[in-house]
Amino acid sequence: MKKSMFATILAAAGLVSLASCGNNDCPAEQKPAGEAEGKVLNVMCWNNEFQQRFESFYPDFVGQRKEGSITYDMLRDGTKVRFIIEPNDNNNYQNKLDAALKAQESTAADEKIDMFLIEADYATKYTKSDYTLDLKADIGLTDADLAEQYQYTKDIVTVDGKLKATSWQATPGLFAYRRDLAQQVLGVSEPADVQKELSDWTKFNAVAKKAHEKGIKMLSGFADNFRPYSNNMEKPWVEEKDGEKVVRLDPKIKEWIVTTKDYATKGYIDDVKLWSGQWQADQGPQGYEVVSGEGENQTVSKGKLTFGFFYSTWGINFTLAGNADPQHLGKVYTEDGKLDVSKSLYGDYAVCEGPASWYWGGSWLCAAKGTDNKGLVNDIMYKLTCSQQIAKSITRETQDYTNNKAAMHSIATDATYGSDFLGGQNHIALFENSAAKISMKNAGPYDQTLNEGIQNAFEPFFFGTATYQSCLTAYKSTVEEKVNGLTFASDWSSWDGVSL
Amino acid sequence: MKKENLRRSNKRIRYDKWGYLFLIPFFIVFVLFTLFPLAKTFLYSFQRYFDDQLETVGPFWCGLENYRYIFTSGANDPRSILLFDVTLTTDAHISSFLYYLMNTIVIWILGFVPQIALSLFLAVCFTNTRLKIKGQAFWKTVIYMPNLIMAAAFGMLFYMIFAQNGPVINTLAQWGWIDKANVKPLDSDELWTHLIIAGLNCLMWFGNTTLLLMSGVMGIDPSIYESASIDGAGPQRTFWQITMPLLRPIFLYVFITSMIGGIQLFDVAQVYTQTTGGMLKSSETVMMYLFNLVTVKHNYGQAGALSVILFFITFFLSVCIYLSTYKSKNMNRAMQRAKAKRLRSYRHCSATQEEMARLAAAKGE
């Protein structure tokens, strides 16, 4: 009796669930495309940069709501947007993303990844796979929508004529320097004048020598100048030779190794790692005086001063601005009306093009295969990456450089526009100039491993604590432990830098 | 009569079946989560099986290819070998695996030596009846505490404490002991990295080892100490000639389990070196290598081969424990026999007993 009752209840429950599926909760494929939209949009990314852009500039965002341990971004129509943030270090983001994409088919509709972000260093890994949708055919962006985007931002993510990703930013790199130090070293501080002194690597090195004589470091970390060199490589990192994937030693990489070793030996560079606490402190006012002890025991020692940093668009408004003024003081003036650079460097930095045109990073949005929110994905992509109006307001409010030529040109030519952080300089005009020169023809799927690996592995060589050969072995081990099937070309261990 | 006996034995309740019943949950979990993955790992180690970008290659049979890879990869390149910051050679040709194994062992030794010394000292102090340390329970809890903290959290904490702009360097600079402008970051120095990782391990495990050794010391028959003190042996002599020899079995156990733990050294090193393995990978441990092969390279065949090799190393060490405890059991039995013999001989020596009685009587007066 009991058993049969239980069975009846089960059957009834089954019927109810079937019926409810008939109404509105069904998987998307049972309904005509464009109608069924999931209730949750899952976005996977490695930091909160995109989330901040989304919350500030997506018109339908109304606020956050916490449900259990998850905080959702709520949209006007009640759709929830969930940002899943996985840090980038040691390929962690890619690992988590890969696992999620592979499990996509067996995951419930509202748990599926709908959108994810990728970086230039590994973009091709995803754009060449079937896990990303064609934004024109599947999502519905049109050529007209995309017309104002920089061509390079489309080229790098176009595979066999299909556009697989879209970006809201272009990331040309510049050289950010401190006006007060430029005045000390070069006698000039305006960007145009400073650019004349730094327009190629020979001149750049000469300025480094001058700065050193005044007790100023030209750059902070060993890897600071890596991207300006590596972006200008002749060919991609990896080359196919007789069916083998070979890691080339590009002349530009050689040049980076020789120059950086030279800087390190002569003391033109501070011995710090990119992104370390000290590196960030080097960008701030602590470089000035370090006061220690109290009362009679108080000692004031002069810290290290760093002339400038290679940074790209996001770095200037997202990282440098924060590091330059860690206490959020804004502009601080001394009694005689000058900037007090011992408290805050806000307003002291300026940017110039520097010795090479280069780019660093950049994030693209991809639509994941299996998404049940195609309409929303289309809307977000259109509004945040194609809309001229929103692009303009992003740049005006965050000083980020957006991927819209028309919008950027109007700001670049706006005489009243200037960045307060950069002392009133219109940096958009400079970015516009160098964005046009960016080429990503050398980008490849192994770039993150190879770029990060070489910067880490060669550090002891620059420090002077290990030989080139030992560092090369460490570099090879790093690469071999992370990637399948790469071999190193023989010139890595036989060029004249070996004797350095 | 015989029939009755038989019937009785049939009626007897068989308790052993309950034993098997209670073992079932363990066996299910063991088979599912240990034996099955272990067998799969063995299987993978003979297969070519990896992810290339987003595509999976294999599994295909490939014989001993993965083992060959583990023992030869990296062996063609000249490698600097440093030991305690002294360059032993700049031209060693050893495979990455052997190099990481060497790093692991060096870090283990650096941590184990101070750990065992400290633990032994504390164990002897805590068990010494004359010292009568107050608040023993409190101190035992305190020394065990570090073991409760997650190793990764500990690693992160130390990374921050010893960072170039961290409190240690800043305080030393404030005292004027070092010149901050010229000091090189500690994590770019092989010896410091080894010492900090080893120190952390020591800090985490010395409490545990102390408790183990204490149980060993307390297991020693107090009458032996008594007779030693009657014979006039001082604390030092008692330690070296009674405590140490009788502690040998537990000592060996601690030594070998710590070695097995040492081979599995992972989280502290991984977090402290920020996954890079330190300068020239001189602080990369075998487990970190394995971690990279599985989670970054996604090469399940090579990772399988490495795991099998580690399995056999651990297996060998476990056999050592087994043999040593087996031996010490035999030794204990031999010692008991010797003690009984001695007692017998005391009984024969009536003069001594008479004397003892006289002494006792004198004391009583």
Side-chain angles (χ1 to χ4, degrees), chain A residues 89-91 95 98 101-102 124-126 129 131 217 245 270-273 276-278 281 286 290-293 299 302 304 445-446 456-457 459-460 463-467 469-485, chain B residues 50-56 69 73-74 76-80 82 87 90 96 100 159 163-165 170 173-174 180-185 187-188 270 273-276 278-281 284 288-289 291-300 302:
Chain A
D89 312 275
N90 205 26
N91 298 49
N95 287 333
D98 293 357
L101 289 178
K102 282 179 185 171
T124 48
K125 171 176 166 186
Y126 294 96
S129 79
Y131 293 103
K217 308 272 180 191
K245 291 173 187 162
D270 194 1
D271 307 333
V272 301
K273 285 181 192 191
S276 69
Q278 183 65 33
Q286 285 101 320
V290 182
V291 183
S292 50
T299 53
K302 212 159 189 192
K304 288 178 273 195
Y446 304 106
N456 271 326
E459 220 166 68
F463 269 128
T465 47
T467 61
Q469 284 289 10
S470 316
C471 293
L472 177 61
T473 306
Y475 181 40
K476 285 182 180 176
S477 308
T478 309
V479 172
E480 167 252 283
E481 264 164 46
K482 292 188 174 177
V483 183
N484 286 297
Chain B
F50 60 89
D51 288 353
D52 187 20
Q53 302 291 321
L54 282 162
E55 280 165 42
T56 305
Y69 171 85
S73 149
N76 292 327
D77 304 310
R79 204 184 284 274
S80 290
L82 302 152
T87 311
T90 51
S96 304
Y100 302 146
Y159 174 75
Q164 205 184 4
N165 207 20
N170 280 341
Q174 209 170 351
K180 200 180 160 192
N182 292 320
V183 72
K184 278 181 182 162
D187 55 0
S188 68
Q270 174 87 351
T273 64
Q274 301 279 292
T275 72
T276 60
M279 174 206 165
L280 295 181
K281 298 192 146 288
E284 177 146 333
M288 287 165 73
Y289 184 38
F291 178 84
N292 278 340
L293 290 183
V294 184
T295 65
V296 186
K297 194 179 186 183
H298 297 285
N299 196 316
Y300 311 109
Q302 290 168 1

